[in-house]
């Protein structure tokens, strides 16, 4: 997921988040992955990190 955020690709973010959910990822783990992406890519990744968290919330609700 970090590379999806780093590359700023919404489709890749959505796929990565959905796959992480199928593997049993929790919201805290998604937030940790977003943090790693922020360390790798800096400020530009901040916006796309929020996209990943929004995707998680959407997919978790079903």
């Amino acid at each position: 997921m970090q590379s999806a955020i780093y590359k700023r690709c919404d489709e890749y973010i959505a796929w990565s988040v959905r796959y992480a959910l199928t593997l049993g990822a929790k919201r805290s783990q998604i937030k940790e992955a977003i943090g790693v992406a922020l360390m790798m890519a800096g400020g530009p990744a901040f916006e796309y990190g929020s996209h990943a968290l929004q995707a998680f919330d959407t997919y978790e609700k079903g």
Side-chain angles (χ1 to χ4, degrees):
M1 178 180 327
Q2 292 94 345
S3 62
I5 294 169
Y6 177 76
K7 292 179 181 182
R8 301 179 204 135
C9 178
D10 284 326
E11 291 82 10
Y12 189 20
I13 290 170
W15 181 87
S16 297
V17 168
R18 183 128 182 148
Y19 186 67
L21 273 168
T22 63
L23 296 175
K26 305 292 182 213
R27 194 170 202 271
S28 62
Q29 293 169 312
I30 299 296
K31 288 170 65 175
E32 185 177 344
I34 292 168
V36 171
L38 284 171
M39 287 188 288
M40 290 172 47
F46 185 78
E47 179 183 347
Y48 287 86
S50 67
H51 292 191
L53 202 53
Q54 186 178 32
F56 177 84
D57 292 339
T58 301
Y59 288 133
E60 189 177 46
K61 290 178 185 175

